[in-house]
């Protein structure tokens, strides 16, 4: 009889209890700051502060059209967070200049806008608790305003980079100018489609999404811009059945939370013409947990996956791929869908996403 010796195990290093407690307290405090910053964005208080000289809480509240007592308490939180400076002698407040670029404006650097996702997670937490206990998942209807939040976040990147940086990755700019057929899968509120349709009037564009509310918002924007080359349809893209219909297909952060991502990718491949291109934008992370340890926002991604992206997929009886499916899995699944060439690009202006360009 052969005796197998147990493999030696290493005792994990232990941290100083005071350091652990300090970090947990800091997380508690930062979570509260996140909530307050989300409120500041939602109510326009950061924008108000940015436009004012040092002002009292009454002046800030009047300028923002808000209740002074609530504004004063919110300002206290922002002062102790280090986002706002307070001058005790005249009881005035002003937004720290070095914080303003990350708390104000419509560009992608405004992280206060993204913080609203954390407050949305808190709203649905009681329902998520039940999915832990009983399995299954939630529906998009359980997330009030989600499509609008996602659209606002995506619009910031697309307004800054879509036409000049993102679309050129696919090498299709000249063909778009000449006139081709384009589809955006999981288009949400359709802002990317409308930007492209306005920039390339000779091409035709269609956006598909299964949210009727999102499609209505997309159509409203297209009408406001008087676009005649953009249309939007309510459709579960897992049922997309078109063949060789498009020269360019795009997806923007839309694949990982599909019920059946492999089916959608196969549908994209079938819908493309032989000389077409597929541009997929999705979360930039590793498929291997150990390789995400140094990713500064990794915990946020896993939280978003647990509370939303994985859950809405499972709620449809889906695969539950999750937000952090990773670049390796994404590239493999694109190839398995029938694409012969896949190139992955990184953009300095958007460290949160990876950009995949695939050819049939």
């Amino acid at each position: 009889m052969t005796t197998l010796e147990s493999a030696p195990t290493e005792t994990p290093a232990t941290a100083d209890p005071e350091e652990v407690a300090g970090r947990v307290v800091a997380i508690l405090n930062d979570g509260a700051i996140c909530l307050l910053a989300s409120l500041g964005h939602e109510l326009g208080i950061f924008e108000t502060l940015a436009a004012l000289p040092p002002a009292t809480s009454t002046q800030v509240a009047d300028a923002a059209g808000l209740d002074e007592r609530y504004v004063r308490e919110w300002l206290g939180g922002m002062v102790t967070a280090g986002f706002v400076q307070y001058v005790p002698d005249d009881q005035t407040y002003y937004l720290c200049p070095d914080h303003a670029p990350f708390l104000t404006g419509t560009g992608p650097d405004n992280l206060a806008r993204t913080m609203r996702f954390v407050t949305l997670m808190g709203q649905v937490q009681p329902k998520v608790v039940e999915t832990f206990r009983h399995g299954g998942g939630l529906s998009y209807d359980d997330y009030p305003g989600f499509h609008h939040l996602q659209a606002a976040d995506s619009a910031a990147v697309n307004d800054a980079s879509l036409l000049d940086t993102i679309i050129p990755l696919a090498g299709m700019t000249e063909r778009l100018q000449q006139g081709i057929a384009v589809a955006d899968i999981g288009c949400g509120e359709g802002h990317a489609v409308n930007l492209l349709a306005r920039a390339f009037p000779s091409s035709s564009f269609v956006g598909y999404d299964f949210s009727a509310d999102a499609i209505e918002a997309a159509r409203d924007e297209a009408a406001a811009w008087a676009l005649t080359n953009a249309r939007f349809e309510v459709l579960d893209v897992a049922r997309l059945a078109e063949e060789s219909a498009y020269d360019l297909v795009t997806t923007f952060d839309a694949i990982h939370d599909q019920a059946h991502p492999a089916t959608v990718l196969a549908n994209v491949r079938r819908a493309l013409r032989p000389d077409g291109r597929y541009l997929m934008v999705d979360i930039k992370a590793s498929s291997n947990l150990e390789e995400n340890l140094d990713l500064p926002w990794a915990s946020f991604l896993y939280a978003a996956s647990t509370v939303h992206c994985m859950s809405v997929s499972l709620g449809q009886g889906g695969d539950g791929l999750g937000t952090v499916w990773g670049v390796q899995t994404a590239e493999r699944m694109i190839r398995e869908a029938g694409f012969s060439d896949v190139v992955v690009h990184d953009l300095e202006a958007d460290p949160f996403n990876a950009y995949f360009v695939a050819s049939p």
Side-chain angles (χ1 to χ4, degrees):
M1 179 180 295
T2 303
T3 302
L4 298 178
E5 296 183 1
S6 300
T9 58
E10 295 182 3
T11 302
T14 57
D16 185 295
E18 291 188 5
E19 291 181 2
V20 174
R23 181 169 186 268
V24 173
V25 170
I27 291 170
L28 176 66
N29 201 50
D30 287 347
I33 292 169
C34 186
L35 170 63
L36 291 174
S38 174
L39 284 170
H41 176 84
E42 188 78 18
L43 295 167
I45 313 177
F46 286 128
E47 302 292 343
T48 299
L49 283 167
L52 289 175
T56 65
S57 59
T58 299
Q59 291 169 327
V60 174
D62 288 346
L66 300 171
D67 182 88
E68 186 276 337
R69 184 65 189 93
Y70 278 91
V71 169
R72 182 170 16 121
E73 205 72 2
W74 179 88
L75 285 166
M78 291 295 91
V79 169
T80 54
F83 290 5
V84 172
Q85 288 294 316
Y86 177 59
V87 183
D89 291 345
D90 52 14
Q91 297 185 332
T92 57
Y93 305 81
Y94 64 91
L95 186 63
C96 297
D98 54 353
H99 282 59
F102 305 102
L103 300 171
T104 62
T106 59
D109 288 340
N110 186 350
L111 296 176
R113 178 183 52 244
T114 307
M115 291 179 188
R116 292 185 299 168
F117 284 104
V118 176
T119 61
L120 180 59
M121 291 182 204
Q123 291 181 52
V124 299
Q125 179 173 326
K127 295 181 180 180
V128 175
V129 167
E130 294 307 308
T131 66
F132 270 77
R133 290 174 173 152
H134 307 294
L138 304 183
S139 74
Y140 281 100
D141 292 338
D142 292 311
Y143 303 85
F146 170 79
H147 283 291
H148 185 67
L149 293 185
Q150 187 178 47
D153 229 30
S154 299
V157 174
N158 287 328
D159 284 340
S161 305
L162 181 64
L163 300 178
D164 295 333
T165 306
I166 297 173
I167 288 299
L169 295 175
M172 300 290 282
T173 303
E174 185 175 345
R175 293 178 64 184
L176 282 163
Q177 292 169 341
Q178 295 170 350
I180 58 174
V182 182
D184 186 33
I185 306 298
C187 67
E189 294 189 359
H191 187 61
V193 172
N194 288 328
L195 285 173
L196 292 169
R198 184 172 63 179
F200 301 104
S202 297
S203 291
S204 61
F205 299 84
V206 59
Y208 296 111
D209 201 283
F210 76 99
S211 168
D213 290 341
I215 290 297
E216 181 179 0
R219 289 171 176 166
D220 288 345
E221 183 179 65
W225 291 6
L227 299 174
T228 59
N229 59 332
R231 63 185 175 89
F232 298 91
E233 296 184 13
V234 177
L235 177 71
D236 180 350
V237 292
R239 296 188 174 94
L240 182 70
E242 294 179 281
E243 296 187 24
S244 299
Y246 302 108
D247 303 285
L248 174 65
V249 175
T250 59
T251 58
F252 297 95
D253 283 334
I255 296 298
H256 66 261
D257 55 0
Q258 296 292 322
H260 303 293
T263 299
V264 175
L265 289 171
N267 290 347
V268 169
R269 171 64 183 85
R270 186 176 58 250
L272 270 177
R273 291 170 178 158
D275 61 345
R277 295 281 173 82
Y278 173 42
L279 171 63
M280 183 182 86
V281 183
D282 219 293
I283 298 300
K284 181 181 177 182
S286 174
S287 302
N288 304 309
L289 172 58
E290 65 274 16
E291 294 174 359
N292 290 326
L293 298 180
D294 295 326
L295 186 65
W297 45 85
S299 296
F300 171 76
L301 295 180
Y302 283 106
S305 185
T306 304
V307 176
H308 179 266
C309 298
M310 181 187 73
S311 184
V312 294
S313 176
L314 293 173
Q316 301 171 70
D319 303 332
L321 191 60
T323 310
V324 203
W325 61 323
V327 172
Q328 300 94 323
T329 297
E331 182 175 354
R332 172 179 58 78
M333 290 184 67
I334 294 172
R335 294 185 185 279
E336 290 174 351
F339 290 93
S340 60
D341 183 46
V342 183
V343 179
V344 185
H345 300 270
D346 293 328
L347 291 184
E348 184 177 350
D350 182 14
F352 296 99
N353 288 302
Y355 292 77
F356 302 79
V357 177
S359 302

